[in-house]
Amino acid sequence: MEQRSEPRTSDSKQESSFAFFFDTEPRTIQEQSVEEEDEEVPNAESALRVQSSSEDGHEAGPVAYQLPRKIHIYFSDTGGGHRASALALEAALEKQYGSQVSVELIDFFRAAMPWPLSQAPETYQTLGNFPSVYKRAWDYDQDSEKWQDTTSYQWMWSYSKEHIVKYLQPLDLDLAISVHPLI
């Protein structure tokens, strides 16, 4: 059974910009008793075992397994260094928080978008071979003040909304990070 708690209050300041993220207790899985240690624990390879001790120092009571914070970093291989940014964030999170986090990099266009938008990385690479076509596509929406107001974005969102929601709904994430402006 997973449990989440309210934010902890602490007098000490953490140096990370992700401090707010770690202000809540991590999800835990409770086992019924210590005798059941041989039973399989969900996500056992990534869960950290936490055993409370009795007053005399012996193990007592149920065993709790803290699950690492589940983080997805969304990028797309559409130029602009999105993958490099995602890899840098992943490395920094794993260096700073180690086994407290489980970070997964996902090419969002490939994973969550319907065809033909799921082919955006390949299309982008192909467009690079045809600069005049790429320039026309770029110039098409340059009259809009915000990228969310562009005709291209509005079309992509209306076409993809159901697929994106269907992809994201079942995910049990603690944090989602996007390093791509269209995601």
Side-chain angles (χ1 to χ4, degrees):
M1 166 191 280
E2 287 187 16
Q3 299 174 343
R4 293 187 189 233
S5 63
E6 294 300 314
R8 305 180 258 183
T9 56
S10 174
D11 294 333
S12 66
K13 296 273 185 190
Q14 291 184 350
E15 296 178 18
S16 167
S17 61
F18 283 99
F20 67 93
F21 180 59
F22 289 93
D23 280 346
T24 57
E25 294 292 330
R27 294 181 288 170
T28 59
I29 299 173
Q30 293 280 134
E31 280 191 359
Q32 297 304 316
S33 67
V34 178
E35 289 79 39
E36 297 174 9
E37 286 184 33
D38 293 335
E39 290 186 20
E40 189 173 323
V41 175
N43 298 322
E45 67 279 354
S46 61
L48 303 171
R49 182 170 185 221
V50 178
Q51 172 72 53
S52 59
S53 299
S54 65
E55 289 182 20
D56 61 0
H58 294 90
E59 291 184 1
V63 177
Y65 290 88
Q66 290 182 351
L67 297 175
R69 307 288 178 145
K70 189 173 179 183
I71 301 170
H72 279 185
I73 301 176
Y74 297 117
F75 71 98
S76 189
D77 283 322
T78 52
H82 306 293
R83 178 184 288 273
S85 299
L87 288 166
L89 276 171
E90 176 187 40
L93 286 166
E94 289 177 348
K95 181 179 180 183
Q96 176 95 19
Y97 299 106
S99 61
Q100 294 179 46
V101 295
S102 170
V103 182
E104 186 175 351
L105 273 61
I106 296 172
D107 187 322
F108 194 82
F109 279 80
R110 287 186 176 117
M113 300 288 238
W115 189 91
L117 296 175
S118 61
Q119 304 303 305
E122 291 76 18
T123 303
Y124 185 84
Q125 291 172 5
T126 302
L127 273 177
N129 296 325
F130 302 96
S132 62
V133 176
Y134 181 84
K135 182 176 180 343
R136 248 190 226 147
W138 174 259
D139 289 343
Y140 178 72
D141 281 325
Q142 290 305 303
D143 293 336
S144 300
E145 286 186 35
K146 299 182 206 169
W147 60 267
Q148 298 99 325
D149 296 335
T150 65
T151 304
S152 299
Y153 179 79
Q154 294 297 321
W155 174 81
M156 283 193 311
W157 176 242
S158 65
Y159 180 71
S160 304
K161 185 186 328 185
E162 288 180 32
H163 284 84
I164 292 169
V165 170
K166 190 175 186 178
Y167 173 79
L168 292 173
Q169 270 185 334
L171 300 178
D172 184 25
L173 298 178
D174 293 302
L175 181 64
I177 301 171
S178 170
V179 295
H180 194 289
L182 296 179
I183 300 173

